[in-house]
Amino acid sequence: VSRPLPALLLAAFLLCASDARVGNKRKWNPEKLFQTEDFSHVVESRSIRTIAFISAQSAADPEGRLNTADNLTAQTRKTLRNLAEALSATGAVPDDVVSMHIYVTDYQQAKGMIVGRQVRKMFENRVPASSFIPVSQLPIEGAQIQIDAVVEMDH
Amino acid sequence: MIKPVCCMLAAAMFCMAAADKVGDSTATVVHHLNPDTLVKQEHATQIVRIRNPRDLVHIAGQTAVNTKFEVVGSSLQEQTVEALKNLDFALEAAKCKRHSLVSLRVFFVSNNAAEIRTLQGMLKTYFKGGPLPALTLIGVTRLVGDGMLVEIEGTAHLQDARP
């Protein structure tokens, strides 16, 4: 008797995660495409008043220092924190991000999961369209990840 | 005597600010933002924001090829000069200028820190002290054509000239 409830909650959560509507945006995964929680295959944003392009953010602090001892988890956390700072500086919130490129060095599939977990957390499962790109080199020495983003707002 | 003047000044400033806000609601304005919370860069702007955007132009990755698709230049530096020339041709065709660029992605084949710094310097020079786009530099193991070392794609905002 106790099992259907968690199953229902899970189903509701998954439905929510795969078709999120907030403000002027809809972020979803059409049923003919593979289902994922890491990004939305399609993002629709209507009545755009402002668009912002955010340079690639890394785990560097405002002085440009990067702690090379940080592992990917720590670098991802700091990179997303910098992305959040950039969003706040332009008057945007995470839901305003429509697309994102995530670049990771020395890629293995497990790294995708490390990054995906933190991305889902930042976007509270309303994830933007994004591409995950394994790269050979990033401009800051020791950087393992960088993320750039496009933001669209209806104000 | 001083107080009323101050009050009037404050009121006037408030009205001007309010008028500005009203103006902002319809005008196209491009802001280049480098907040103190993020690292400052000489060759890029952290955030380029366009209020009430007009036309956007998306330019495919430009490489150091001539019109016969032959690679020109053997070093990253030489090829960057050529790729930037091709970027200029693309911008010109779309009636855009260098400062119309709001976003750039530069893919390069190199793991040499000095070479990457040179590339960053060349981008800074390309914009001649004008507004800089948001930028992502991406090191890759190779590009689509044999011998290619750099590819530059961009987005431009066409505000003034219309075809």
Side-chain angles (χ1 to χ4, degrees):
Chain A
V1 180
S2 61
R3 272 187 193 161
L5 185 60
L8 271 172
L9 282 173
L10 181 67
F13 168 76
L14 286 175
L15 273 174
C16 248
S18 64
D19 194 345
R21 290 166 195 260
V22 183
N24 65 328
K25 290 181 196 68
R26 182 182 174 201
K27 302 181 179 186
W28 82 107
N29 287 320
E31 57 184 24
K32 287 186 178 171
L33 297 174
F34 81 88
Q35 300 299 298
T36 171
E37 293 171 19
D38 288 340
F39 59 88
S40 300
H41 282 289
V42 185
V43 173
E44 191 179 274
S45 70
R46 296 179 178 271
S47 312
I48 301 165
R49 295 288 299 275
T50 304
I51 181 166
F53 299 90
I54 299 179
S55 277
Q57 300 300 315
S58 69
D61 68 14
E63 279 73 47
R65 290 175 307 218
L66 186 132
N67 184 354
T68 48
D70 278 350
N71 59 15
L72 181 65
T73 306
Q75 283 205 14
T76 304
R77 194 180 305 125
K78 290 178 181 176
T79 300
L80 290 172
R81 197 186 301 154
N82 283 336
L83 178 61
E85 290 287 0
L87 292 176
S88 126
T90 191
V93 294
D95 277 330
D96 294 320
V97 176
V98 289
S99 86
M100 211 163 69
H101 289 87
I102 303 169
Y103 308 89
V104 173
T105 58
D106 189 26
Y107 180 72
Q108 300 139 28
Q109 211 163 339
K111 291 194 173 181
M113 292 166 75
I114 291 173
V115 176
R117 193 177 307 130
Q118 294 196 44
V119 166
R120 289 197 301 273
K121 193 173 156 197
M122 170 170 172
F123 290 94
E124 296 174 347
N125 293 307
R126 299 183 295 276
V127 280
S130 73
S131 301
F132 202 97
I133 304 158
V135 297
S136 60
Q137 182 74 31
L138 292 173
I140 300 178
E141 262 178 304
Q144 298 181 43
I145 182 168
Q146 69 178 12
I147 301 176
D148 63 28
V150 178
V151 171
E152 291 174 358
M153 292 176 266
D154 61 354
H155 55 87
Chain B
M1 193 57 191
I2 294 169
K3 268 188 186 168
V5 174
C6 287
C7 285
M8 279 169 71
L9 270 175
M13 282 166 74
F14 176 78
C15 285
M16 280 159 72
D20 258 7
K21 269 194 168 173
V22 170
D24 271 355
S25 69
T26 54
T28 299
V29 190
V30 182
H31 293 111
H32 291 77
L33 310 173
N34 282 303
D36 289 336
T37 44
L38 300 174
V39 63
K40 302 272 191 290
Q41 300 181 97
E42 287 193 327
H43 53 277
T45 303
Q46 287 288 13
I47 304 154
V48 180
R49 178 179 64 197
I50 312 165
R51 293 241 189 257
N52 301 307
R54 297 282 291 272
D55 300 344
L56 288 175
V57 176
H58 300 276
I59 298 171
Q62 297 301 316
T63 58
V65 292
N66 58 22
T67 49
K68 294 176 194 152
F69 203 67
E70 296 159 340
V71 177
V72 180
S74 53
S75 68
L76 179 62
Q77 194 168 348
E78 285 169 3
Q79 288 199 17
T80 303
V81 172
E82 297 302 319
L84 288 172
K85 271 187 208 163
N86 287 334
L87 181 61
D88 277 341
F89 290 141
L91 287 170
E92 190 189 331
K95 297 193 164 41
C96 291
K97 296 192 165 58
R98 289 180 183 180
H99 69 241
S100 314
L101 285 165
V102 289
S103 163
L104 269 192
R105 288 202 179 90
V106 180
F107 302 86
F108 61 88
V109 182
S110 172
N111 53 14
N112 178 319
E115 229 176 22
I116 297 167
R117 274 197 301 276
T118 303
L119 173 62
Q120 291 170 326
M122 291 174 79
L123 292 172
K124 183 189 163 194
T125 309
Y126 177 75
F127 291 101
K128 297 174 179 164
L132 297 160
L135 173 74
T136 303
L137 286 162
I138 307 135
V140 293
T141 49
R142 61 158 293 153
L143 292 164
V144 67
D146 289 344
M148 281 179 185
L149 299 173
V150 68
E151 177 163 352
I152 305 174
E153 69 168 38
T155 304
H157 176 241
L158 189 54
Q159 188 177 342
D160 321 312
R162 276 178 177 259

